[in-house]
Amino acid sequence: MDAVRALLGPKHVLISGIMQYSMLWGIMIGFTITTAISTATIKRSACFHEKGANAKCKVSGNSYMLAFGALEILLSQFPNLEKVTFLSVISTLTSLAYALIALCLSIAKFSIQHEAKGTIKVAMAGEDLATSTKIWQVFQALGNIAFSYTYSMLLLEIQSPQAENKAMKRVTLYAIGGTALFYTSLGCMGYAAFGADVPGNYLTGFYKPLWLVDIANLAVIIHLIVGYQVFAQTIFAMNEKSLATRWQAHGSFFNKIYTVRLQCKQDYSFQFTPSRLLLRTGFVIFTTLVAMMFPFFNAILGLLGSISFWPLTVYFPLNMYMVQANIKRGDSTWIMFQVLSLLCLVVSLVSVIGSVAGMLEHLKHAQLFHINL
Protein backbone atom coordinates (compact mmCIF):
# COMPACT_ATOMS: atom_id res chain seq x y z
CA MET A 1 0.00 0.00 0.00
CA ASP A 2 2.87 2.39 0.76
CA ALA A 3 4.42 1.69 -2.65
CA VAL A 4 1.08 2.26 -4.39
CA ARG A 5 0.59 5.52 -2.47
CA ALA A 6 4.07 6.74 -3.41
CA LEU A 7 3.83 5.96 -7.13
CA LEU A 8 0.12 6.02 -8.05
CA GLY A 9 -1.36 8.36 -5.47
CA PRO A 10 -3.81 7.98 -2.57
CA LYS A 11 -6.89 7.16 -4.66
CA HIS A 12 -5.49 3.70 -5.48
CA VAL A 13 -4.46 2.86 -1.92
CA LEU A 14 -7.86 1.73 -0.62
CA ILE A 15 -8.49 -0.63 -3.54
CA SER A 16 -4.99 -2.13 -3.34
CA GLY A 17 -5.31 -2.57 0.43
CA ILE A 18 -8.69 -4.32 0.21
CA MET A 19 -7.42 -6.66 -2.51
CA GLN A 20 -4.13 -7.39 -0.75
CA TYR A 21 -5.50 -8.20 2.68
CA SER A 22 -8.53 -10.05 1.30
CA MET A 23 -6.14 -12.24 -0.64
CA LEU A 24 -3.96 -12.87 2.40
CA TRP A 25 -7.02 -13.85 4.44
CA GLY A 26 -8.30 -16.03 1.61
CA ILE A 27 -4.98 -17.89 1.50
CA MET A 28 -5.33 -18.58 5.23
CA ILE A 29 -8.75 -20.11 4.54
CA GLY A 30 -7.30 -22.20 1.70
CA PHE A 31 -4.44 -23.39 3.92
CA THR A 32 -6.93 -24.51 6.58
CA ILE A 33 -8.96 -26.52 4.07
CA THR A 34 -5.90 -28.09 2.45
CA THR A 35 -4.36 -29.13 5.77
CA ALA A 36 -7.56 -30.96 6.70
CA ILE A 37 -7.63 -32.71 3.31
CA SER A 38 -3.99 -33.82 3.57
CA THR A 39 -4.43 -35.05 7.14
CA ALA A 40 -7.56 -36.96 6.16
CA THR A 41 -5.69 -38.46 3.20
CA ILE A 42 -3.06 -39.93 5.52
CA LYS A 43 -5.75 -41.53 7.68
CA ARG A 44 -7.68 -42.76 4.65
CA SER A 45 -4.52 -44.26 3.14
CA ALA A 46 -3.92 -46.19 6.34
CA CYS A 47 -7.52 -47.43 6.23
CA PHE A 48 -7.14 -48.69 2.65
CA HIS A 49 -3.85 -50.33 3.57
CA GLU A 50 -5.49 -52.23 6.45
CA LYS A 51 -8.91 -53.06 4.94
CA GLY A 52 -8.19 -53.21 1.21
CA ALA A 53 -8.62 -50.93 -1.77
CA ASN A 54 -12.40 -51.46 -1.95
CA ALA A 55 -13.06 -50.54 1.68
CA LYS A 56 -15.32 -47.62 2.53
CA CYS A 57 -13.05 -45.20 4.35
CA LYS A 58 -14.89 -41.95 5.00
CA VAL A 59 -13.04 -39.39 7.07
CA SER A 60 -14.52 -36.22 8.57
CA GLY A 61 -12.40 -33.10 8.31
CA ASN A 62 -13.99 -31.06 11.12
CA SER A 63 -11.67 -32.27 13.87
CA TYR A 64 -8.58 -31.68 11.71
CA MET A 65 -9.59 -28.11 10.93
CA LEU A 66 -10.23 -27.42 14.62
CA ALA A 67 -6.84 -28.89 15.57
CA PHE A 68 -5.16 -26.81 12.86
CA GLY A 69 -6.89 -23.66 14.12
CA ALA A 70 -5.80 -24.37 17.71
CA LEU A 71 -2.18 -24.80 16.62
CA GLU A 72 -2.26 -21.57 14.60
CA ILE A 73 -3.60 -19.69 17.63
CA LEU A 74 -0.42 -20.66 19.49
CA LEU A 75 1.88 -19.77 16.57
CA SER A 76 0.07 -16.47 16.03
CA GLN A 77 1.41 -15.18 19.34
CA PHE A 78 4.85 -14.64 17.78
CA PRO A 79 5.32 -10.84 17.85
CA ASN A 80 5.98 -10.23 14.14
CA LEU A 81 7.17 -11.62 10.81
CA GLU A 82 10.84 -11.24 11.72
CA LYS A 83 10.34 -13.72 14.57
CA VAL A 84 9.08 -16.46 12.24
CA THR A 85 11.90 -16.46 9.68
CA PHE A 86 12.70 -20.09 10.48
CA LEU A 87 9.08 -21.00 9.68
CA SER A 88 9.52 -19.59 6.18
CA VAL A 89 12.61 -21.74 5.63
CA ILE A 90 10.77 -24.87 6.79
CA SER A 91 7.83 -23.97 4.55
CA THR A 92 10.08 -23.67 1.50
CA LEU A 93 11.86 -26.98 2.10
CA THR A 94 8.65 -28.93 2.68
CA SER A 95 7.02 -27.45 -0.44
CA LEU A 96 9.95 -28.66 -2.53
CA ALA A 97 9.69 -32.08 -0.87
CA TYR A 98 6.02 -32.75 -1.63
CA ALA A 99 6.26 -31.29 -5.13
CA LEU A 100 9.18 -33.59 -6.01
CA ILE A 101 7.44 -36.63 -4.50
CA ALA A 102 4.22 -35.89 -6.38
CA LEU A 103 6.14 -35.49 -9.63
CA CYS A 104 8.02 -38.76 -9.13
CA LEU A 105 4.81 -40.64 -8.26
CA SER A 106 3.04 -39.37 -11.38
CA ILE A 107 6.01 -40.27 -13.59
CA ALA A 108 6.02 -43.79 -12.07
CA LYS A 109 2.26 -44.17 -12.59
CA PHE A 110 2.55 -42.99 -16.19
CA SER A 111 5.45 -45.37 -16.94
CA ILE A 112 3.53 -48.37 -15.56
CA GLN A 113 0.48 -47.59 -17.73
CA HIS A 114 2.63 -47.33 -20.91
CA GLU A 115 0.17 -44.77 -22.29
CA ALA A 116 -1.15 -41.33 -21.45
CA LYS A 117 -4.65 -41.24 -19.99
CA GLY A 118 -4.98 -37.60 -20.90
CA THR A 119 -5.74 -36.46 -24.43
CA ILE A 120 -4.85 -33.38 -26.43
CA LYS A 121 -8.51 -33.24 -27.43
CA VAL A 122 -9.52 -31.79 -24.07
CA ALA A 123 -13.12 -31.25 -25.15
CA MET A 124 -13.49 -35.03 -25.58
CA ALA A 125 -12.25 -35.77 -22.05
CA GLY A 126 -14.71 -36.53 -19.27
CA GLU A 127 -17.47 -37.95 -21.46
CA ASP A 128 -19.85 -38.15 -18.48
CA LEU A 129 -19.66 -34.38 -17.92
CA ALA A 130 -21.95 -31.83 -19.51
CA THR A 131 -20.35 -29.35 -21.91
CA SER A 132 -21.25 -26.44 -19.63
CA THR A 133 -19.58 -28.16 -16.67
CA LYS A 134 -16.40 -28.64 -18.71
CA ILE A 135 -16.38 -24.95 -19.62
CA TRP A 136 -16.81 -23.89 -15.97
CA GLN A 137 -14.03 -26.24 -14.91
CA VAL A 138 -11.67 -24.90 -17.58
CA PHE A 139 -12.38 -21.35 -16.36
CA GLN A 140 -11.86 -22.49 -12.77
CA ALA A 141 -8.54 -24.08 -13.75
CA LEU A 142 -7.36 -20.69 -15.03
CA GLY A 143 -8.03 -19.33 -11.55
CA ASN A 144 -6.03 -22.19 -10.01
CA ILE A 145 -3.10 -21.32 -12.26
CA ALA A 146 -3.40 -17.63 -11.36
CA PHE A 147 -3.38 -18.60 -7.67
CA SER A 148 0.08 -20.11 -8.20
CA TYR A 149 1.55 -16.65 -8.78
CA THR A 150 0.16 -14.75 -5.81
CA TYR A 151 3.44 -13.81 -4.16
CA SER A 152 3.16 -10.18 -5.31
CA MET A 153 1.32 -8.99 -2.19
CA LEU A 154 4.23 -10.15 -0.04
CA LEU A 155 7.12 -9.13 -2.31
CA LEU A 156 7.71 -5.74 -0.75
CA GLU A 157 7.32 -7.18 2.76
CA ILE A 158 10.21 -9.61 2.28
CA GLN A 159 12.45 -7.77 -0.18
CA SER A 160 16.18 -7.61 0.33
CA PRO A 161 17.87 -4.45 1.63
CA GLN A 162 20.19 -4.69 -1.39
CA ALA A 163 19.57 -2.74 -4.58
CA GLU A 164 16.23 -3.74 -6.08
CA ASN A 165 17.62 -3.94 -9.63
CA LYS A 166 20.03 -6.67 -8.54
CA ALA A 167 18.98 -8.90 -5.67
CA MET A 168 15.19 -8.77 -6.08
CA LYS A 169 15.30 -9.21 -9.84
CA ARG A 170 17.28 -12.42 -9.33
CA VAL A 171 14.96 -13.56 -6.55
CA THR A 172 11.88 -12.91 -8.69
CA LEU A 173 13.40 -14.68 -11.71
CA TYR A 174 14.32 -17.75 -9.66
CA ALA A 175 10.92 -17.81 -7.91
CA ILE A 176 8.91 -17.51 -11.13
CA GLY A 177 11.19 -19.94 -12.99
CA GLY A 178 11.06 -22.55 -10.23
CA THR A 179 7.30 -22.19 -9.78
CA ALA A 180 6.63 -22.47 -13.52
CA LEU A 181 8.91 -25.50 -13.85
CA PHE A 182 7.31 -27.38 -10.96
CA TYR A 183 3.68 -26.55 -11.72
CA THR A 184 3.97 -27.15 -15.46
CA SER A 185 5.67 -30.49 -14.86
CA LEU A 186 3.12 -31.53 -12.24
CA GLY A 187 0.19 -30.41 -14.38
CA CYS A 188 1.37 -32.24 -17.51
CA MET A 189 2.44 -35.43 -15.75
CA GLY A 190 -0.69 -35.46 -13.60
CA TYR A 191 -2.90 -35.22 -16.68
CA ALA A 192 -0.86 -37.93 -18.42
CA ALA A 193 -1.18 -40.22 -15.40
CA PHE A 194 -4.83 -39.63 -14.45
CA GLY A 195 -6.46 -38.02 -17.48
CA ALA A 196 -9.72 -36.19 -16.76
CA ASP A 197 -9.94 -38.00 -13.39
CA VAL A 198 -6.95 -36.15 -11.92
CA PRO A 199 -7.96 -35.05 -8.40
CA GLY A 200 -8.03 -31.40 -7.42
CA ASN A 201 -5.67 -32.06 -4.54
CA TYR A 202 -2.99 -33.93 -6.46
CA LEU A 203 -1.69 -36.23 -3.74
CA THR A 204 -5.12 -37.67 -2.91
CA GLY A 205 -4.88 -39.75 -6.10
CA PHE A 206 -1.95 -41.83 -4.83
CA TYR A 207 -2.06 -44.66 -2.27
CA LYS A 208 1.13 -46.60 -3.03
CA PRO A 209 3.81 -46.72 -1.82
CA LEU A 210 2.02 -45.82 1.40
CA TRP A 211 5.09 -44.54 3.24
CA LEU A 212 6.11 -42.17 0.45
CA VAL A 213 2.58 -40.79 -0.02
CA ASP A 214 2.32 -40.22 3.73
CA ILE A 215 5.66 -38.38 3.74
CA ALA A 216 4.41 -36.12 0.94
CA ASN A 217 1.14 -35.38 2.73
CA LEU A 218 3.03 -34.77 5.97
CA ALA A 219 5.26 -32.30 4.10
CA VAL A 220 2.11 -30.52 2.86
CA ILE A 221 0.78 -30.30 6.41
CA ILE A 222 4.05 -28.92 7.79
CA HIS A 223 4.31 -26.48 4.87
CA LEU A 224 0.81 -25.13 5.50
CA ILE A 225 1.11 -24.97 9.28
CA VAL A 226 4.20 -22.78 9.10
CA GLY A 227 3.32 -20.98 5.84
CA TYR A 228 0.01 -19.84 7.37
CA GLN A 229 1.91 -17.49 9.66
CA VAL A 230 3.84 -15.84 6.83
CA PHE A 231 0.51 -14.51 5.52
CA ALA A 232 -1.23 -14.10 8.87
CA GLN A 233 1.52 -12.02 10.49
CA THR A 234 1.14 -9.38 7.75
CA ILE A 235 -2.57 -9.02 8.58
CA PHE A 236 -1.86 -8.96 12.32
CA ALA A 237 0.72 -6.19 11.87
CA MET A 238 -1.71 -4.05 9.87
CA ASN A 239 -4.55 -4.50 12.39
CA GLU A 240 -2.41 -3.79 15.43
CA LYS A 241 -0.75 -0.76 13.85
CA SER A 242 -4.15 0.64 12.93
CA LEU A 243 -5.55 0.09 16.42
CA ALA A 244 -2.49 1.56 18.12
CA THR A 245 -2.76 4.68 15.97
CA ARG A 246 -6.48 5.01 16.58
CA TRP A 247 -6.32 4.57 20.33
CA GLN A 248 -3.09 6.58 20.74
CA ALA A 249 -2.63 4.88 24.08
CA HIS A 250 0.50 2.77 24.11
CA GLY A 251 0.28 2.51 27.87
CA SER A 252 -3.35 1.36 27.87
CA PHE A 253 -4.44 -2.05 29.05
CA PHE A 254 -4.76 -3.48 25.53
CA ASN A 255 -1.32 -2.35 24.36
CA LYS A 256 0.58 -2.90 27.60
CA ILE A 257 3.26 -5.59 27.42
CA TYR A 258 2.98 -8.33 30.05
CA THR A 259 5.68 -10.89 30.81
CA VAL A 260 5.06 -14.44 31.99
CA ARG A 261 8.05 -16.27 33.44
CA LEU A 262 8.27 -20.06 33.54
CA GLN A 263 10.54 -21.65 36.13
CA CYS A 264 12.09 -24.84 34.74
CA LYS A 265 15.68 -26.04 34.51
CA GLN A 266 16.14 -22.83 32.57
CA ASP A 267 14.20 -19.63 32.97
CA TYR A 268 11.82 -18.94 30.09
CA SER A 269 9.82 -15.78 29.60
CA PHE A 270 6.92 -15.05 27.28
CA GLN A 271 5.74 -11.53 26.46
CA PHE A 272 2.28 -10.68 25.21
CA THR A 273 -0.20 -7.86 24.96
CA PRO A 274 -3.96 -8.31 25.51
CA SER A 275 -4.65 -6.87 22.07
CA ARG A 276 -2.39 -9.46 20.43
CA LEU A 277 -3.81 -12.30 22.49
CA LEU A 278 -7.47 -11.43 21.95
CA LEU A 279 -7.49 -10.07 18.41
CA ARG A 280 -5.20 -12.69 16.87
CA THR A 281 -7.01 -15.53 18.62
CA GLY A 282 -10.40 -14.23 17.50
CA PHE A 283 -9.22 -13.76 13.91
CA VAL A 284 -7.84 -17.32 13.65
CA ILE A 285 -11.06 -18.75 15.13
CA PHE A 286 -13.17 -16.80 12.63
CA THR A 287 -10.96 -17.93 9.73
CA THR A 288 -11.27 -21.57 10.81
CA LEU A 289 -15.07 -21.32 11.01
CA VAL A 290 -15.28 -19.83 7.51
CA ALA A 291 -13.06 -22.65 6.18
CA MET A 292 -15.38 -25.23 7.76
CA MET A 293 -18.36 -23.62 6.06
CA PHE A 294 -16.79 -23.62 2.55
CA PRO A 295 -14.51 -26.67 2.18
CA PHE A 296 -14.34 -26.48 -1.64
CA PHE A 297 -10.67 -26.91 -2.47
CA ASN A 298 -10.47 -26.15 -6.21
CA ALA A 299 -13.28 -23.62 -6.30
CA ILE A 300 -11.88 -21.64 -3.36
CA LEU A 301 -8.37 -21.56 -4.83
CA GLY A 302 -9.73 -20.60 -8.25
CA LEU A 303 -11.83 -17.77 -6.83
CA LEU A 304 -8.95 -16.41 -4.73
CA GLY A 305 -6.55 -16.55 -7.65
CA SER A 306 -8.93 -15.01 -10.16
CA ILE A 307 -9.99 -12.09 -7.95
CA SER A 308 -6.48 -11.05 -6.99
CA PHE A 309 -4.45 -11.99 -10.07
CA TRP A 310 -5.20 -9.02 -12.32
CA PRO A 311 -5.08 -6.14 -9.79
CA LEU A 312 -2.19 -7.37 -7.61
CA THR A 313 0.00 -9.23 -10.09
CA VAL A 314 -0.67 -7.21 -13.25
CA TYR A 315 -2.45 -3.85 -12.96
CA PHE A 316 -0.72 -2.22 -9.98
CA PRO A 317 2.82 -3.52 -10.70
CA LEU A 318 2.65 -2.53 -14.37
CA ASN A 319 1.31 0.95 -13.64
CA MET A 320 3.83 1.49 -10.84
CA TYR A 321 6.63 0.46 -13.17
CA MET A 322 5.43 2.78 -15.94
CA VAL A 323 5.38 5.73 -13.52
CA GLN A 324 8.81 4.88 -12.13
CA ALA A 325 10.36 4.32 -15.58
CA ASN A 326 8.58 7.40 -17.00
CA ILE A 327 6.94 5.45 -19.85
CA LYS A 328 4.71 7.78 -21.85
CA ARG A 329 1.19 7.03 -23.02
CA GLY A 330 1.26 5.81 -26.64
CA ASP A 331 4.82 4.42 -26.51
CA SER A 332 5.33 0.89 -27.84
CA THR A 333 6.09 -0.35 -24.30
CA TRP A 334 2.92 1.31 -22.99
CA ILE A 335 0.83 -0.35 -25.73
CA MET A 336 2.41 -3.74 -25.00
CA PHE A 337 1.63 -3.40 -21.30
CA GLN A 338 -1.97 -2.40 -22.00
CA VAL A 339 -2.49 -5.45 -24.22
CA LEU A 340 -0.96 -7.71 -21.56
CA SER A 341 -3.13 -6.12 -18.86
CA LEU A 342 -6.29 -6.56 -20.96
CA LEU A 343 -5.54 -10.24 -21.63
CA CYS A 344 -4.93 -10.89 -17.93
CA LEU A 345 -8.16 -9.07 -17.04
CA VAL A 346 -10.08 -11.42 -19.35
CA VAL A 347 -8.42 -14.42 -17.67
CA SER A 348 -9.43 -13.09 -14.25
CA LEU A 349 -13.04 -12.46 -15.27
CA VAL A 350 -13.67 -15.86 -16.85
CA SER A 351 -11.96 -17.67 -13.96
CA VAL A 352 -14.19 -15.82 -11.46
CA ILE A 353 -17.22 -17.07 -13.40
CA GLY A 354 -15.92 -20.64 -13.42
CA SER A 355 -15.03 -20.61 -9.72
CA VAL A 356 -18.39 -19.18 -8.65
CA ALA A 357 -20.16 -21.80 -10.79
CA GLY A 358 -18.06 -24.51 -9.09
CA MET A 359 -18.93 -23.22 -5.62
CA LEU A 360 -22.64 -23.07 -6.45
CA GLU A 361 -22.48 -26.67 -7.68
CA HIS A 362 -20.79 -27.76 -4.42
CA LEU A 363 -23.34 -25.87 -2.32
CA LYS A 364 -26.12 -28.03 -3.75
CA HIS A 365 -24.66 -31.05 -1.97
CA ALA A 366 -22.98 -29.37 1.01
CA GLN A 367 -24.12 -29.26 4.63
CA LEU A 368 -23.07 -26.52 7.02
CA PHE A 369 -20.11 -27.59 9.19
CA HIS A 370 -20.28 -31.10 7.79
CA ILE A 371 -17.11 -32.03 5.93
CA ASN A 372 -16.45 -35.49 4.56
CA LEU A 373 -13.10 -35.87 2.80
Side-chain angles (χ1 to χ4, degrees):
M1 292 169 64
D2 292 335
V4 170
R5 182 184 291 109
L7 292 171
L8 300 181
K11 67 178 182 179
H12 292 88
V13 174
L14 179 62
I15 297 175
S16 68
I18 291 173
M19 296 303 302
Q20 178 178 355
Y21 287 104
S22 298
M23 183 62 193
L24 291 172
W25 181 55
I27 291 174
M28 293 166 65
I29 296 173
F31 275 23
T32 306
I33 296 170
T34 312
T35 302
I37 293 174
S38 297
T39 309
T41 301
I42 293 177
K43 186 172 183 179
R44 193 164 50 188
S45 297
C47 174
F48 286 137
H49 184 70
E50 293 176 3
K51 300 180 180 180
N54 297 322
K56 293 183 178 180
C57 298
K58 289 187 177 181
V59 182
S60 175
N62 284 347
S63 58
Y64 300 128
M65 286 196 186
L66 291 173
F68 179 80
L71 181 57
E72 293 303 336
I73 288 174
L74 294 176
L75 292 176
S76 69
Q77 299 310 310
F78 280 99
N80 53 52
L81 195 59
E82 292 178 357
K83 302 296 183 181
V84 294
T85 303
F86 71 97
L87 295 182
S88 183
V89 174
I90 294 172
S91 179
T92 302
L93 294 176
T94 50
S95 67
L96 289 173
Y98 69 71
L100 283 171
I101 291 173
L103 182 60
C104 292
L105 288 172
S106 59
I107 292 173
K109 183 177 176 65
F110 171 67
S111 62
I112 292 173
Q113 295 169 174
H114 302 295
E115 63 177 357
K117 283 195 173 183
T119 173
I120 297 177
K121 299 178 181 179
V122 181
M124 303 301 294
E127 296 179 356
D128 55 332
L129 295 176
T131 302
S132 60
T133 302
K134 293 180 185 179
I135 293 173
W136 300 140
Q137 290 185 354
V138 169
F139 289 172
Q140 182 179 304
L142 291 174
N144 291 154
I145 294 171
F147 182 79
S148 305
Y149 297 91
T150 53
Y151 74 98
S152 58
M153 83 292 284
L154 274 176
L155 183 62
L156 298 181
E157 302 284 350
I158 62 175
Q159 74 173 11
S160 166
Q162 301 179 41
E164 64 178 58
N165 63 340
K166 295 180 180 179
M168 292 312 294
K169 279 189 176 181
R170 288 201 306 273
V171 169
T172 304
L173 176 62
Y174 297 155
I176 288 291
T179 301
L181 176 64
F182 269 114
Y183 287 162
T184 303
S185 301
L186 286 166
C188 293
M189 290 310 304
Y191 188 56
F194 292 97
D197 297 324
V198 62
N201 188 349
Y202 200 43
L203 287 170
T204 59
F206 299 103
Y207 296 101
K208 293 180 181 180
L210 180 64
W211 64 271
L212 188 58
V213 175
D214 285 350
I215 288 176
N217 279 298
L218 185 61
V220 173
I221 294 168
I222 295 172
H223 167 72
L224 298 179
I225 288 173
V226 299
Y228 184 100
Q229 289 300 318
V230 175
F231 297 95
Q233 289 287 338
T234 308
I235 298 179
F236 297 154
M238 183 271 295
N239 287 334
E240 289 161 14
K241 180 180 178 181
S242 175
L243 289 174
T245 302
R246 186 174 302 174
W247 290 340
Q248 294 181 348
H250 297 284
S252 68
F253 168 75
F254 281 104
N255 288 325
K256 187 176 180 180
I257 298 175
Y258 294 86
T259 302
V260 176
R261 299 188 182 280
L262 302 176
Q263 297 293 334
C264 300
K265 291 182 179 180
Q266 295 180 350
D267 290 339
Y268 294 97
S269 63
F270 173 72
Q271 292 184 330
F272 71 94
T273 63
S275 62
R276 185 196 306 163
L277 183 63
L278 296 174
L279 294 176
R280 294 186 180 193
T281 299
F283 189 77
V284 173
I285 291 173
F286 178 67
T287 301
T288 304
L289 291 175
V290 172
M292 293 173 68
M293 293 173 64
F294 302 103
F296 317 136
F297 180 77
N298 270 35
I300 287 289
L301 294 189
L303 184 62
L304 292 174
S306 55
I307 289 176
S308 64
F309 174 67
W310 181 72
L312 292 180
T313 308
V314 182
Y315 177 78
F316 285 120
L318 284 182
N319 280 275
M320 290 163 68
Y321 176 77
M322 285 190 288
V323 170
Q324 189 182 49
N326 198 26
I327 296 175
K328 303 296 183 182
R329 180 184 293 269
D331 289 352
S332 58
T333 303
W334 182 89
I335 294 173
M336 180 182 68
F337 281 172
Q338 298 308 311
V339 172
L340 175 62
S341 181
L342 180 61
L343 290 174
C344 292
L345 175 60
V346 172
V347 169
S348 287
L349 291 176
V350 297
S351 57
V352 166
I353 295 171
S355 299
V356 171
M359 292 182 68
L360 292 176
E361 182 64 28
H362 280 95
L363 285 171
K364 294 179 182 178
H365 313 289
Q367 299 179 35
L368 195 64
F369 297 110
H370 184 76
I371 311 163
N372 284 318
L373 302 172

